[in-house]
Amino acid sequence: MHISSPLESTTVEAPLTRRELRRRRRGARLRAVAAPIAGVAAAGLLVTVAGFAHPTLANAATPAGVNLSATTPVSSNAAAADDGDTLFARTAERADERAATALASANVVLGSAKGKVDDSTLVSSIAALANYAYLDTTTVQSLTNTAVAATAVVQAGVAAVDKAAADAAAAEAAAAAAAAQAIADRIALAATPDGARTVAAELAAENYGWGDDQFQCLDSLWTKESGWNYQAENASSGAFGIPQSLPGSKMSSIADDWATNAVTQITWGLDYIARGYGTPCSAWSHSQSVNWY
């Protein structure tokens, strides 16, 4: 007598896929259909042999009462079973193909959704469909439909987020372009004395809150100093530009283009007046007293 040892291992078979299960079921059905046919064929062989021994037995029924001419219904049943199995197999294969396609698309969309939209439903759908090869066809079809719907929702959400980001970037770029154009226009305007006056009045109001009364003093001061000419230079002192900075390089604290950009000069001059005198009228008063500011 053999006694099993506790150390003997037990073999655990891996779960079968639906294709393997279909193959085994088909084999069982074919064997079930083939068994009656084999019985009938055997009975026919016995009758044929007996016919040679005694001619009167040639037309007799088989011992089981089965007429040898009745084999056609068995063949028809076998063909019907085979057709049904083929249709079932095709349906299952199509379900598998659709599931594989749905999973591939879902994973691509999932990769693009990170940090943009809620993808929890899609993650669950992918997990549920991942083992489609081991599920019945109806379940696979249902889970595939759910995954396709979840993918469409997330994809639409990602598209909306991406569009909003693109629109925001475009708006930001347009605003930056508009600002750059405004700066360029202001520089071009300030290149003439009248244009420089306009720009100075705007900057004085925007940055310091100085109105028309203060601008009148500023106009008088810089008309005396340079005539609002951004290229004006005092030959004896070296003072330069609209505000007559001494030396002109002081204006580089605003920008390196101080020698050619009237807006840079005006910006520096207004800051100089605000820090040194408080207002243009105070600076103009000082200039009238001592002939410089």
Side-chain angles (χ1 to χ4, degrees), residues 91-185:
T91 301
E93 288 173 1
R94 288 169 183 166
D96 286 354
E97 291 172 358
R98 186 165 175 259
T101 300
L103 277 174
S105 298
N107 280 306
V108 170
V109 172
L110 184 63
S112 67
K114 187 175 182 180
K116 295 180 180 179
V117 297
D118 180 10
D119 58 7
S120 57
T121 299
L122 181 57
V123 170
S124 298
S125 298
I126 291 173
L129 187 59
N131 293 325
Y132 66 87
Y134 300 94
L135 304 175
D136 63 89
T137 300
T138 300
T139 300
V140 172
Q141 291 171 332
S142 177
L143 292 177
T144 299
N145 291 338
T146 300
V148 168
T151 299
V153 171
V154 172
Q155 190 172 32
V158 170
V161 171
D162 289 345
K163 184 179 184 303
D167 290 345
E172 184 177 353
Q181 186 60 51
I183 291 173
D185 292 344

Side-chain angles (χ1 to χ4, degrees), residues 197-282:
R197 288 184 174 89
T198 299
V199 171
E202 291 174 352
L203 292 177
E206 291 172 7
N207 298 333
Y208 302 97
W210 296 334
D212 290 342
D213 56 336
Q214 292 296 326
F215 179 73
Q216 292 299 324
C217 294
L218 180 67
D219 186 22
S220 298
L221 178 63
W222 283 354
T223 296
K224 174 187 175 184
E225 292 291 331
S226 64
W228 291 89
N229 179 4
Y230 75 95
Q231 294 176 317
E233 184 175 7
N234 188 308
S236 59
S237 67
F240 188 85
I242 292 174
Q244 286 294 282
S245 169
L246 182 64
S249 59
K250 285 184 178 180
M251 294 183 288
S252 63
S253 62
I254 301 300
D256 291 335
D257 61 354
W258 58 269
T260 58
N261 189 339
V263 177
T264 296
Q265 297 178 4
I266 292 169
T267 301
W268 180 88
L270 293 175
D271 177 69
Y272 172 77
I273 290 172
R275 288 185 292 105
Y277 301 97
T279 64
C281 286
S282 294

Side-chain angles (χ1 to χ4, degrees), residues 55-79:
T56 59
L57 296 178
N59 295 323
T62 66
V66 179
N67 194 310
L68 293 179
S69 63
T71 60
T72 302
V74 176
S75 299
S76 297
N77 289 338

